[in-house]
Amino acid sequence: SAVISQKPSRDICQRGTSLTIQCQVDSQVTMMFWYRQQPGQSLTLIATANQGSEATYESGFVIDKFPISRPNLTFSTLTVSNMSPEDSSIYLCSASPDEAFFGQGTRLTVV
Amino acid sequence: KQEVTQIPAALSVPEGENLVLNCSFTDSAIYNLQWFRQDPGKGLTSLLLIQSSQREQTSGRLNASLDKSSGRSTLYIAASQPGDSATYLCAVISNTGKLIFGQGTTLQVKP
């Protein structure tokens, strides 16, 4: 199994600002993903974080809004840019060799 | 397009009851299926992973089954306890590692 550390665990941000979320895995993994969980909803995939290349975004998510970095096989960041109240959600990082493991999430509130 | 449905959306039972949570998916070409638990405001905890070639997996009081041909999975919880109260999420996993989640079943076990 993989242990995933995510930070910050929560933040309250002003609209128009950006927040970068970090995800650290305790072992090298091939696949890393970022998900969003809006209030009262299930999880939706934002993008696949590709090591050494640009992330692959799902429909409805764009790089300008959610830039992602993955410099190596154990670390990734997600930035939520130019935030609005609609971006208030839990953002979760996942690693998936076979079984998927998740970090504890980042609870973001935009005011 | 893969769609995952969980029934019921919410369930309240007295302590000690055995219960079944249902998950259905529209495309049987899945790689794996995984059940998660999510406590309020927290990340996801992996409960059971069923690979596509398997029919069921067991862990303690939990048993998950998979019938790919009918597009169904069930999570059986034996002798439920108040500590089992949480939201249970079913996710199908593609061969690219992406997870598609159901909307979850929120379980309350009353003492």
Side-chain angles (χ1 to χ4, degrees), chain A residues 35 37 42 58 99-100 107, chain B residues 34 38 41 46 96 98-99 102:
Chain A
Y35 290 83
Q37 186 175 31
S42 190
E58 298 298 305
E99 183 173 1
R107 180 180 289 273
Chain B
Q34 196 166 350
Q38 186 175 33
S46 177
T96 59
K98 297 179 184 180
L99 275 68

Side-chain angles (χ1 to χ4, degrees), chain B residues 11-60:
Chain B
L11 183 62
S12 180
V13 300
E15 181 177 4
E17 272 204 10
N18 304 324
L19 55 101
V20 175
L21 309 182
N22 296 293
C23 172
S24 61
F25 46 94
T26 55
D27 185 349
S28 62
I30 65 172
Y31 188 64
N32 293 328
L33 185 142
Q34 196 166 350
W35 284 91
F36 295 89
R37 168 186 174 137
Q38 186 175 33
D39 293 287
K42 304 293 186 182
L44 274 65
T45 301
S46 177
L47 297 175
L48 289 165
L49 171 73
I50 310 177
Q51 296 179 340
S52 62
S53 59
Q54 297 175 324
R55 298 281 293 183
E56 66 178 328
Q57 282 287 331
T58 298
S59 176

Side-chain angles (χ1 to χ4, degrees), chain A residues 36-38 40-44, chain B residues 6 38 89-90 101-104:
Chain A
R36 180 176 73 180
Q37 186 175 31
Q38 295 178 298
Q41 303 294 314
S42 190
L43 282 76
T44 301
Chain B
Q6 289 186 247
Q38 186 175 33
L89 293 161
C90 163
F101 286 86
Q103 290 298 307

Side-chain angles (χ1 to χ4, degrees), chain A residues 92-110:
Chain A
L92 297 110
C93 167
S94 169
S96 179
D98 245 342
E99 183 173 1
F101 295 94
F102 283 80
Q104 284 301 298
T106 296
R107 180 180 289 273
L108 171 62
T109 302
V110 184

